Every structure is written in C-alpha cells, then in structure tokens.
Amino acid sequence: MSAFIQQLPALIGVVIGALGSYLAIVRGDRARFRREQTARWEERRLAVYADYARSLKKSVTLTYRVASHLGNDPHPHPLSPEEAEPLLAEATLARDPSGEALILLGSPEVVERARTWVVGVMEMEQFLREGTRDPRAWQALLERQRAGREGYYAAVRNDLALPPGHSARLPLQPVHHT
C-alpha cells in the first residue's frame, strides 16, 4: 500500500495532465469550428450580397437602354419599351428570391441600404413606364440610383470587414479615332 501512496502524486499528475490536454484540445477545436463557421457564413453572405447586386444591376442596365430609346440616356444600345417589357419583368422576378435571401442573411444595415437602392431603381422603372422624355429628370434618377448603389456596397464592405472599394463613378471619355 505504501508503494501505491508513494506513486499516487505521480498518478494524479498524469490524470490532471491528461485532463488538461483534453480540455485544451476541445477548446481549440471549438474555437476552430467557430472560426470556420463564421468564415462559411461570411462566404454565404458575400454570395447573397453579390447575387442581389447582379440581379438589381440587370434591371438598371435595361432601364438605361429604354431611357436611351426615349432620348434620356446616351446608352449605345437602345431598347424599345415593348422589347424591354418582358426582360424587365423577368429581371424583377429574378430580384425577388435574391432579395429574400438578402433579408434572411444580410445585416440590418445592408438590408436597409439595399432597400434604398431598389427604391431608386423602381423609380427609374416607373419613369420609363410613363414614357417620360426628360433627360434632366432622368439624370437626377440616375444620381439617386448611383448613390443607393454606393451606399449598398459601402454597407456590404463594412459588414464583411472588407477594405474600402472604388465608387464606380468614372467619367466616360469619348473614344477618339485618328
């Protein structure tokens, strides 16, 4: 018995060491799991954010083309309202699922900025449905839409802790052929 008692502190030390190692491994695994889970959700949010932007940009491009047909925009590929109608309807329908995913996974700030952007796009669509021919009014709508887009991208970058990006406001320079 005395040999057992003499070895008991070493045995307790081994048990405590094994328990400590086990706890350290479990804690490390949990931390790694949380990091990986956070990274997966950030990837999913980025995909949802990008998908929403693509779906909205499709509508924006179509409005530019119709506005060009009506004489409001210099877009080089005009599209008549009649030709655009089914394309705009399709783009609007495609926006709905990406908007729902955005509401589900997006931060409140991103969702609010997305709402501001889409309202600007909807105003552009309404302007064109009415057949308005007013380049100045169209320019004001464009500016509001562009500000909405900038706000959306800034909120996305903030939510995902991305560095600041480009404003995408580039003056278009005419191409001069010599």
Side-chain angles (χ1 to χ4, degrees):
M1 179 82 174
S2 71
F4 176 74
I5 291 180
Q6 287 177 348
Q7 301 238 342
L8 190 58
L11 184 58
I12 290 172
V14 168
V15 169
I16 289 173
L19 186 59
S21 291
Y22 172 77
L23 291 175
I25 289 170
V26 167
R27 191 176 220 180
D29 284 349
R30 281 186 185 162
R32 184 175 31 142
F33 175 77
R34 279 192 301 273
R35 280 191 311 274
E36 288 171 357
Q37 187 177 31
T38 298
R40 279 193 304 273
W41 280 111
E42 283 183 359
E43 287 173 14
R44 287 182 181 145
R45 279 200 328 270
L46 177 59
V48 164
Y49 291 164
D51 185 49
Y52 183 76
R54 269 191 304 275
S55 70
L56 202 51
K57 188 62 177 163
K58 184 180 254 184
S59 294
V60 169
T61 300
L62 287 168
T63 63
Y64 287 172
R65 294 181 66 194
V66 174
S68 177
H69 178 83
L70 297 174
N72 293 318
D73 193 278
H75 194 284
H77 304 290
L79 188 65
S80 74
E82 296 76 26
E83 292 173 302
E85 189 175 335
L87 299 173
L88 282 166
E90 182 183 312
T92 299
L93 287 173
R95 244 178 10 221
D96 287 345
S98 62
E100 290 301 315
L102 179 75
I103 290 168
L104 180 65
L105 294 177
S107 74
E109 180 188 2
V110 170
V111 172
E112 182 57 31
R113 295 301 182 112
R115 187 193 65 76
T116 300
W117 187 18
V118 77
V119 165
V121 173
M122 291 166 61
E123 289 172 350
M124 291 166 65
E125 292 168 339
Q126 180 63 36
F127 180 90
L128 297 173
R129 272 194 301 276
E130 293 169 356
T132 308
R133 296 175 189 270
D134 183 346
R136 276 198 186 140
W138 174 252
Q139 206 52 44
L141 288 171
L142 280 182
E143 286 305 312
R144 198 161 37 248
Q145 181 273 142
R146 287 176 179 147
R149 181 182 64 180
E150 279 183 45
Y152 175 76
Y153 285 135
V156 166
R157 287 185 194 101
N158 184 50
D159 183 43
L160 298 176
L162 299 172
H166 195 281
S167 71
R169 289 188 179 238
L170 297 172
L172 296 177
Q173 301 297 323
V175 177
H176 297 288
H177 298 285
T178 55

